[in-house]
């Protein structure tokens, strides 16, 4: 860490980690309801838990992105942040908005479009928060050194704000509603968020592998070009069955089949850089998360996405547990792991902790990743069985669900493992390590 | 050959290509918006349908159910629930059955997923049913493959 | 020179290709995209032979052939432009580039005439499986032609040899793809 | 051969092969329009034409053998798939 103002990132990291735990906790609760249906059904119905689970995820990922940006941008722009005070005010406002939304949900105050359940005033507050943030980081970049990483990151962050505006548009025509709902959801996660992901990964590669900036930045452009060239028209895979014209089946199938390539390029990029760099960075855990991020994103977003993206296949799998499997692995691999990689890299620097709980953090990595992977397999099997029984045989939805009990129990077990792993990760980042642990970690690293 | 410019060219290709694909996307979406709006001429969105959509949202139905395959996968697909309840053959019967079903929730049966009891008036229930009927008439390219949803 | 070589080598295997490595990524990607679409076209032609026979019979061989020749000639002009520029004949290069643009524009005019004729007969994109694919593939290609014309104009203005090479490479790709589209959609009929 | 002549020759080959493909599709002496042979001629001419563009307009002839082979495989693969799928109806007819 070179600049004092990078410290504001800590607020965001801490807020994000707290919400991360809440998100996983609610996930476990939902996993329990699925196998024990009467659990909490009066007090806290499933739909309320669901919106807490998904909204907490989105908010903590965004909060993490903000933190990443506040850490990364001063270092790239080679100057202090435009306004530290504004960044702190923005944090509290954002946290207040998120907390108000969650408390409101528990009292049934919400709107009703998936992921966009926030009441209107909170949506507007989010816009204000985003504008404060964009003003702050853009000013910093404009006054400082401009690099490919900062311009791509800014493009991604501005894109997040611009496409969020479509959440304010809710026509009575359900078809139009859905079309533009995807402008938020798809153009976020398979568009501008990937710009954030690629640029943060590029930053981490420069810092941890010591490979030349020139090389990294060329890769960055290659990856994001592939991302947007496939991802924008890849939106077509959401326009198959919602009342839009049939030609989207061709567009969606062809372009989203190619969405695997940017993720593949990211795997090649990170592994090649680490192999080429040769410099052994002391922060092994951050390196592990970075590599894990590209690998899990490739499987989750790339492979699991491809499995059901072709229109003739999606015709049968659309809206089954196959989608749930893909969603969990993709979000975890691409965005959860990206944030944790950055937190793991940045937090010891900010807190000036030379030895910290690296081993514990890596345990957290393996347990959480193992849990999510197992959950993905369980849900994939559930989805395949569901597709066959419900979409081919024409069995009734609830009857089919009863057949899937075993998979849902397995998923719950995996969810508990994820919760344990999450707590380990948070603990390892929040609690200082001891010299002894540092020594044993050195031994472990040597053994690897 | 001067290769020092390749990074600038790579950047230009990225920005140019992104604008290109985004313009194509906007063009196609604009075309789709006209077809989506045309749906409303054959199958008008009456005030009741619009109100029904609002009720659907107010109770966050999508966070358990799915509609046209999008939602929470916890409860049945409702895009075609009108058809599943026989609305095509006997609209009145389907309407009554749907309303009775919603009024009877939660069932409280042990081991069965529970739908909460929503305080919805009879008039609102009619509007909700109108919305579901309207939705069932969207041309979804024959999705879902089975009436079971 | 050494720095340049090193820079070039950093693209890995792609550095061994003539011209800008990113443009080659683009060429390969576009070949894959159009390749998938054309394979889809052939597969649908097998699944719905009557619809495709009627649809293809409604297309005009000669308009397609004429357009092919326009693009080929346009590509030749573009190659000559790069050749002239490499000998520092800037004005000559711009003339050749202008010629390439003219033939490209002629291609678009023919395309528009062809589409409007089809549309006036009621054959729009939703008409049947054949016309859906016909409009998607030729439309997406035509969008590339429009983009290509813009690129030719840009590199005509900022006319370094490097820019000219990259810009015309895009143009040749558009040409290349048409050379596969044309026989598949217009000529491969009657089987 | 000068650069200009090389480019001109490429143009000439492309133009002539376009005529050949039109004739093959139309049918005529020795070749029936719409036959398996005509489809093969169409894909064959397309292959030669795309190679001309790659080699002479895009200067692929200067690249390493590996890259040239890659593009040969890519194009030949694509055109062969197109030919194969295009011929299925004829093959099925002959089988029955």
């Amino acid at each position: 860490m070179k600049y004092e103002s990078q410290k504001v990132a800590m607020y965001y990291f801490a807020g994000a980690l707290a919400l991360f735990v809440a998100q996983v906790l609610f996930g476990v609760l939902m996993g329990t309801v699925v196998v024990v249906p009467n659990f909490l059904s009066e007090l806290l119905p499933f739909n309320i838990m669901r919106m807490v689970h998904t909204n907490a995820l989105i908010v903590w990922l965004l909060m993490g992105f903000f933190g990443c940006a506040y850490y990364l941008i001063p270092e790239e722009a080679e100057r202090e942040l435009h306004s530290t005070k504004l960044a702190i005010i923005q944090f509290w406002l954002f946290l207040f908005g998120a907390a108000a939304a969650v408390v409101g949900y528990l009292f049934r105050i919400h709107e009703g479009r998936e992921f966009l359940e926030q009441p209107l005033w909170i949506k507007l507050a989010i816009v204000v928060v985003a504008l404060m943030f964009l003003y702050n980081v853009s000013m910093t970049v404009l006054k400082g050194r401009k690099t490919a990483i900062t311009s791509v990151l800014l493009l991604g962050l501005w894109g997040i704000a611009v496409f969020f505006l479509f959440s304010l548009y809710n026509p009575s025509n359900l078809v139009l509603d859905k079309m533009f709902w995807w402008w938020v959801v798809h153009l976020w996660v398979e568009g501008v968020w990937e710009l954030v992901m690629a640029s943060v990964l590029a930053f981490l590669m420069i810092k941890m592998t010591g490979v030349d900036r020139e090389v990294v930045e060329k890769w960055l452009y290659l990856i994001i070009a592939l991302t947007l060239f496939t991802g924008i028209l890849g939106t077509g895979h959401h326009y198959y069955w919602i009342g839009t014209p049939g030609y989207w089946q061709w567009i969606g199938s062809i372009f989203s089949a190619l969405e695997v390539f940017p993720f593949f390029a990211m795997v090649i990029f990170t592994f090649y850089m680490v192999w080429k760099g040769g410099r052994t960075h002391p922060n092994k855990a951050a390196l592990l998360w970075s590599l894990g991020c590209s690998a899990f994103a490739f499987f989750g977003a790339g492979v699991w996405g491809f499995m059901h993206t072709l229109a003739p296949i999606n015709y049968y799998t659309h809206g089954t547990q196959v989608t749930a499997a893909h969603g969990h692995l993709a979000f975890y691999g691409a965005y959860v792991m990206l944030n944790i990689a950055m937190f793991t890299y940045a937090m010891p620097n900010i807190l000036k902790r030379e030895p910290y709980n690296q081993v514990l953090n890596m345990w957290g990595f393996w347990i959480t990743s193992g849990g999510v992977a197992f959950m993905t397999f369980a849900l994939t099997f559930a989805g395949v069985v569901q597709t066959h029984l419900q979409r081919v045989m024409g069995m009734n939805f609830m009857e089919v669900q009863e057949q899937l009990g075993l998979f849902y129990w397995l998923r719950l077990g995996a969810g508990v493992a994820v919760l344990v792993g999450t707590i380990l990760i948070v603990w390892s980042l929040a609690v200082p390590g001891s010299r002894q642990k540092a020594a044993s970690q050195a031994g472990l690293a040597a053994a690897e | 050959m001067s290769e020092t410019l390749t990074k600038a060219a790579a950047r230009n290709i990225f920005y140019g290509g992104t604008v290109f694909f985004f313009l194509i996307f906007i063009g196609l979406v604009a075309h789709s918006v006209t077809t989506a709006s045309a749906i409303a001429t054959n199958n008008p969105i009456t005030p009741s349908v619009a109100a029904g959509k609002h009720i659907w949202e107010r109770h966050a139905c999508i966070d358990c159910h799915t509609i046209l395959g999008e939602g929470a996968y916890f409860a049945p697909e409702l895009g075609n629930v009108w058809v599943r309840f026989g609305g095509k053959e006997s609209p009145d019967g389907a309407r009554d059955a749907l309303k009775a079903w919603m009024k009877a929730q939660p069932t409280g049966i042990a081991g069965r997923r529970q739908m909460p009891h929503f305080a919805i008036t009879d008039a609102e229930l009619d509007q909700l049913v109108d919305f579901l009927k309207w939705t069932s008439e969207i041309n979804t390219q024959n999705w879902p493959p089975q009436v079971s949803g | 020179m050494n720095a340049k070589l090193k820079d070039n080598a950093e693209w890995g295997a792609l550095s061994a290709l003539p011209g800008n490595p990113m443009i080659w990524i683009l060429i390969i990607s576009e070949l894959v995209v159009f390749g998938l679409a054309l394979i889809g076209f052939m597969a649908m032609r097998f699944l719905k032979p009557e619809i495709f026979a009627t649809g293809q019979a409604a297309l005009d061989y000669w308009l397609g052939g004429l357009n092919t020749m326009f693009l080929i000639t346009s590509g030749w002009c573009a190659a000559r432009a790069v050749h002239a520029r490499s000998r520092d004949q800037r004005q000559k290069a711009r003339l050749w580039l202008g010629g390439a643009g003219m033939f490209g524009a002629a291609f678009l005019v023919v395309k528009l005439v062809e589409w409007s004729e089809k549309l006036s007969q009621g054959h729009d994109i939703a008409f049947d499986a054949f016309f859906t694919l016909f409009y998607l593939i030729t439309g997406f290609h035509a969008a590339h032609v429009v983009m290509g014309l813009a690129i030719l104009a840009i590199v005509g203005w900022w006319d370094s040899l490097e820019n000219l090479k990259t810009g015309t490479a895009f143009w040749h790709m558009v040409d290349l793809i048409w050379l596969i589209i044309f026989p598949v959609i217009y000529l491969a009929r009657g089987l | 051969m000068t650069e200009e002549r090389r480019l001109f020759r490429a143009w000439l080959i492309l133009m002539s092969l376009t005529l050949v493909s039109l004739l093959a599709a139309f049918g005529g002496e020795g070749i029936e329009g719409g036959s398996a042979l005509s489809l093969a001629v169409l894909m064959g001419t397309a292959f030669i034409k795309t190679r001309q563009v790659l080699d002479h307009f895009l200067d692929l002839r200067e690249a390493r053998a590996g890259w040239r082979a890659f593009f040969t495989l890519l194009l030949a693969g694509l055109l062969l798939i197109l030919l194969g799928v295009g011929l299925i109806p004829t093959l099925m007819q002959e089988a029955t």
Side-chain angles (χ1 to χ4, degrees):
Chain A
M1 195 187 69
K2 293 180 191 147
Y3 298 90
E4 199 59 22
S5 54
Q6 286 177 288
K7 279 185 186 162
V8 291
M10 271 309 295
Y11 286 88
Y12 290 85
F13 294 166
L17 286 172
L19 284 167
F20 181 25
V21 175
Q23 178 234 329
V24 175
L25 201 63
F26 270 82
V28 172
L29 285 180
M30 288 161 75
T32 312
V33 175
V34 170
V35 287
V36 188
N38 304 73
F39 175 66
L40 289 181
S41 66
E42 300 285 322
L43 193 64
L44 197 60
F46 186 88
N47 61 343
I48 302 293
M49 290 190 208
R50 171 86 170 7
M51 61 182 93
V52 176
H53 178 62
T54 55
N55 282 235
L57 169 75
I58 297 164
V59 170
W60 91 255
L61 291 178
L62 286 174
M63 206 174 257
F65 289 168
F66 291 163
C68 290
Y70 280 134
Y71 185 85
L72 180 159
I73 281 178
E75 204 153 317
E76 284 288 298
E78 294 185 330
R79 67 183 306 279
E80 294 288 353
L81 206 59
H82 179 65
S83 166
T84 315
K85 200 179 280 173
L86 191 63
I88 293 172
I89 297 172
Q90 182 219 331
F91 169 75
W92 288 113
L93 199 59
F94 192 36
L95 189 70
F96 169 74
V102 169
V103 173
Y105 292 169
L106 299 178
F107 289 96
R108 318 285 192 271
I109 301 166
H110 53 72
E111 291 182 11
R113 291 197 299 159
E114 200 183 2
F115 312 138
L116 303 178
E117 293 91 347
Q118 313 83 29
L120 180 65
W121 72 270
I122 289 186
K123 285 200 182 85
L124 295 174
I126 292 173
V127 173
V128 173
V129 165
L131 286 175
M132 289 167 77
F133 168 74
L134 289 172
Y135 168 74
N136 209 350
V137 291
S138 302
M139 287 305 284
T140 313
V141 169
L142 283 177
K143 286 190 202 159
R145 182 178 67 149
K146 289 152 197 80
T147 66
I149 290 178
T150 52
S151 35
V152 173
L153 182 61
L154 276 189
L155 183 68
L157 295 168
W158 274 97
I160 290 176
V162 169
F163 290 120
F164 183 71
L165 294 179
F166 286 92
S167 73
L168 301 172
Y169 174 64
N170 184 12
S172 309
N173 185 331
L174 184 69
V175 180
L176 287 178
D177 170 1
K178 280 178 177 289
M179 277 175 71
F180 288 100
W181 181 79
W182 283 115
W183 277 53
V184 189
V185 179
H186 176 92
L187 292 180
W188 267 21
V189 299
E190 289 170 63
V192 290
W193 283 31
E194 279 187 57
L195 300 186
V196 175
M197 177 189 177
S199 57
V200 171
L201 271 183
F203 173 79
L204 288 171
M205 287 300 117
I206 289 181
K207 292 292 160 187
M208 289 196 290
T209 67
V211 173
D212 276 359
R213 175 176 292 276
E214 279 292 312
V215 185
V216 170
E217 292 190 337
K218 281 181 196 169
W219 271 94
L220 177 61
Y221 279 122
L222 174 73
I223 289 168
I224 58 173
L226 286 173
T227 301
L228 292 191
F229 294 1
T230 59
I232 292 174
L233 287 176
T235 315
H237 64 207
H238 300 296
Y239 289 175
Y240 293 160
W241 330 112
I242 61 167
T244 32
Y247 57 72
W248 285 106
Q249 293 180 28
W250 287 102
I251 299 171
S253 299
I254 290 173
F255 284 93
S256 68
L258 302 178
E259 279 186 53
V260 184
F261 289 119
F263 287 106
F264 187 65
M266 273 195 243
V267 176
I268 305 279
F269 165 62
T270 49
F271 280 78
Y272 177 62
M273 289 302 121
V274 170
W275 171 77
K276 188 178 173 178
R279 196 170 88 186
T280 41
H281 194 272
N283 197 334
K284 294 265 182 297
L287 210 54
L288 181 65
W289 281 104
S290 307
L291 293 175
C293 173
S294 66
F296 270 70
F298 170 67
F299 283 105
V303 178
W304 253 258
F306 177 73
M307 275 187 345
H308 58 137
T309 204
L310 299 176
I313 294 171
N314 193 262
Y315 182 65
Y316 292 99
T317 60
H318 179 53
T320 63
Q321 296 296 324
V322 174
T323 319
H326 159 59
H328 280 91
L329 193 62
F331 265 101
Y332 176 70
Y335 302 121
V336 173
M337 293 180 95
L338 178 81
N339 269 313
I340 304 294
M342 189 65 171
F343 299 176
T344 306
Y345 170 75
M347 283 175 75
N349 292 351
I350 296 175
L351 298 169
K352 304 222 170 10
R353 276 186 197 148
E354 213 22 78
Y356 73 106
N357 281 315
Q358 274 209 58
V359 180
L360 194 66
N361 185 300
M362 289 195 267
W363 272 102
F365 172 93
W366 288 111
I367 292 173
T368 316
S369 303
V372 175
F374 193 76
M375 181 186 303
T376 305
F377 290 128
L379 290 176
T380 307
F381 283 117
V384 171
V385 173
Q386 183 189 7
T387 301
H388 182 71
L389 295 181
Q390 191 180 318
R391 295 288 166 70
V392 181
M393 310 286 285
M395 265 169 75
N396 172 289
F397 178 87
M398 285 312 297
E399 281 172 37
V400 175
Q401 291 298 314
E402 277 159 27
Q403 304 289 316
L404 304 177
L406 172 66
F407 299 118
Y408 289 143
W409 277 107
L410 293 175
R411 187 265 292 271
L412 179 60
V416 172
V418 171
L419 183 61
V420 171
T422 305
I423 292 167
L424 289 183
I425 294 165
V426 176
W427 184 273
S428 76
L429 291 171
V431 180
S434 63
R435 291 273 159 203
Q436 225 172 358
K437 275 184 184 139
S440 70
Q441 162 246 320
L444 187 88
E448 279 173 342
Chain B
M1 226 183 293
S2 159
E3 295 289 343
T4 42
L5 290 171
T6 51
K7 198 176 85 185
R11 187 194 60 213
N12 295 344
I13 291 171
F14 164 69
Y15 284 111
T18 301
V19 169
F20 174 70
F21 280 102
F22 199 63
L23 286 177
I24 291 182
F25 179 61
I26 288 177
L28 287 163
V29 168
H31 178 262
S32 300
V33 165
T34 58
T35 47
S37 308
I39 295 172
T41 46
N42 298 329
N43 187 15
I45 302 169
T46 61
S48 176
V49 171
K53 180 168 184 279
H54 188 61
I55 294 159
W56 163 267
E57 287 163 0
R58 195 167 73 220
H59 298 288
C61 307
I62 203 162
D63 279 306
C64 289
H65 291 277
T66 55
I67 190 159
L68 306 187
E70 287 153 11
Y73 327 124
F74 182 71
E77 162 70 28
L78 296 186
N80 67 339
V81 73
W82 178 255
V83 180
R84 193 155 61 239
F85 272 61
K88 275 183 178 167
E89 297 78 28
S90 76
D92 293 339
R95 179 174 296 269
D96 292 341
L98 273 167
K99 285 164 73 177
W101 174 269
M102 280 185 268
K103 281 180 187 160
Q105 304 303 323
T107 59
I109 301 168
R112 191 182 163 84
R113 293 183 189 175
Q114 298 299 312
M115 176 163 149
H117 180 77
F118 294 114
I120 306 179
T121 66
D122 203 59
E124 285 177 330
L125 276 177
D126 272 319
Q127 292 168 334
L128 188 54
V129 172
D130 282 340
F131 168 67
L132 292 172
K133 175 174 180 293
W134 185 88
T135 304
S136 75
E137 285 162 17
I138 294 172
N139 173 12
T140 55
Q141 316 285 337
N142 293 324
W143 192 89
Q146 302 283 349
V147 77
S148 57
Chain C
M1 184 63 205
N2 256 344
K4 282 173 188 171
L5 267 183
K6 181 172 159 273
D7 199 39
N8 191 17
E10 279 155 5
W11 284 96
L14 283 169
S15 316
L17 284 165
N20 190 293
M22 274 285 274
I23 208 82
W24 283 99
I25 292 278
L26 198 65
I27 292 173
I28 297 167
S29 318
E30 298 275 7
L31 271 174
V32 172
V33 168
F34 279 99
L36 289 174
L38 288 171
I39 291 170
F41 179 90
M42 273 296 193
M44 289 304 288
R45 181 174 169 273
F46 162 61
L47 293 174
K48 301 184 171 178
E50 288 86 14
I51 285 175
F52 273 65
T54 327
Q56 282 185 306
L59 299 183
D60 191 328
Y61 280 124
W62 298 109
L63 281 186
L66 185 68
N67 256 350
T68 309
M69 294 183 181
F70 281 159
L71 276 195
I72 289 169
T73 311
S74 173
W76 173 62
C77 293
R80 286 297 303 260
V82 172
H83 174 64
R85 186 67 185 82
S86 70
R87 295 182 169 191
D88 278 330
Q89 299 164 323
R90 287 180 66 179
Q91 285 318 310
K92 211 173 155 190
R94 283 190 170 138
L95 278 177
W96 279 112
L97 218 51
M102 294 273 288
F103 281 108
F107 175 90
L108 279 182
V109 171
V110 172
K111 204 88 240 140
L112 286 175
V113 168
E114 193 187 9
W115 283 337
S116 58
E117 192 214 335
K118 295 282 162 290
L119 285 174
S120 69
Q121 294 164 350
H123 293 147
D124 64 3
I125 192 163
F127 184 73
D128 62 19
F130 171 79
F131 279 101
T132 297
L133 280 169
F134 170 74
Y135 283 110
L136 279 184
I137 296 172
T138 59
F140 192 48
H141 177 266
H144 280 81
V145 176
V146 174
M147 180 75 176
L149 287 177
I151 289 174
L152 288 184
I154 291 168
V155 300
W157 187 265
W158 287 283
D159 64 340
S160 72
L161 179 60
E162 193 65 33
N163 282 352
L164 231 60
K165 278 186 176 169
T166 309
T168 54
F170 181 88
W171 191 244
H172 294 311
M173 173 194 77
V174 175
D175 188 1
L176 182 78
I177 284 162
W178 179 257
L179 293 180
I180 307 174
I181 294 176
F182 172 56
V184 172
I185 293 189
Y186 286 79
L187 301 183
R189 46 174 100 172
L191 276 169
Chain D
M1 189 167 50
T2 64
E3 185 80 5
E4 286 92 341
R5 280 193 55 143
R6 186 176 56 77
L7 291 174
F8 181 72
R9 198 189 57 173
W11 175 79
L12 208 61
I13 294 174
L14 286 165
M15 293 297 269
S16 338
L17 286 179
T18 303
L19 282 176
V20 170
S21 61
L22 276 164
L23 291 176
F26 240 163
E29 200 70 33
I31 185 168
E32 194 187 332
S35 65
L37 180 62
S38 97
L39 190 62
V41 171
L42 291 178
M43 296 302 137
T45 49
F47 178 73
I48 303 171
K49 283 159 82 180
T50 50
R51 274 246 66 111
Q52 288 290 319
V53 172
L54 280 171
D55 286 342
H56 297 289
F57 292 172
L58 280 162
D59 289 336
L60 193 69
R61 68 186 189 290
E62 292 169 4
R64 280 185 205 153
W67 273 113
R68 291 207 306 275
F70 170 80
F71 279 97
T72 304
L73 281 178
L74 186 65
L75 286 170
L78 172 60
L79 290 166
L80 279 174
I81 292 173
L82 290 172
L83 179 65
V85 180
L87 284 180
I88 294 175
T90 323
L91 293 174
M92 283 188 9
Q93 247 172 10
E94 272 173 30
T96 52

